[in-house]
Amino acid sequence: MGYFDKCKGIILGSFTELEQHGELPVVQEYIEEMTAGNEIPIVKTNELGHGKNGKCIVIGSRIELA
């Protein structure tokens, strides 16, 4: 559908319930399928998301990952 055509990268945050049930690979595989051929970098961090220690970023903002 073209959602990833202008995307420069994908950051996966925490998926609390999926991770508790060992289902995170399902999400990762789905994202990889959806972005196949686009060579979009994908990173995973538990520092983003809806967890109690989650931080936030502004969607569309420029960030630098170390």
Side-chain angles (χ1 to χ4, degrees):
M1 296 178 75
Y3 291 118
F4 297 106
D5 290 345
K6 295 182 182 178
C7 186
K8 301 292 184 197
I10 297 173
I11 302 174
L12 300 175
S14 59
F15 294 84
T16 309
E17 287 191 40
L18 290 173
E19 290 175 24
Q20 288 174 354
H21 293 93
E23 298 294 328
L24 184 61
V26 173
V27 174
Q28 293 171 318
E29 290 171 13
Y30 179 71
I31 296 293
E32 289 172 2
E33 282 180 29
M34 296 299 295
T35 59
N38 290 342
E39 296 192 27
I40 298 172
I42 302 170
V43 297
K44 167 74 173 90
T45 179
N46 287 329
E47 292 187 28
L48 298 174
H50 298 279
K52 61 182 176 183
N53 296 326
K55 299 172 180 75
C56 66
I57 60 172
V58 177
I59 294 174
S61 66
R62 186 174 194 89
I63 65 168
E64 183 175 322
L65 302 174

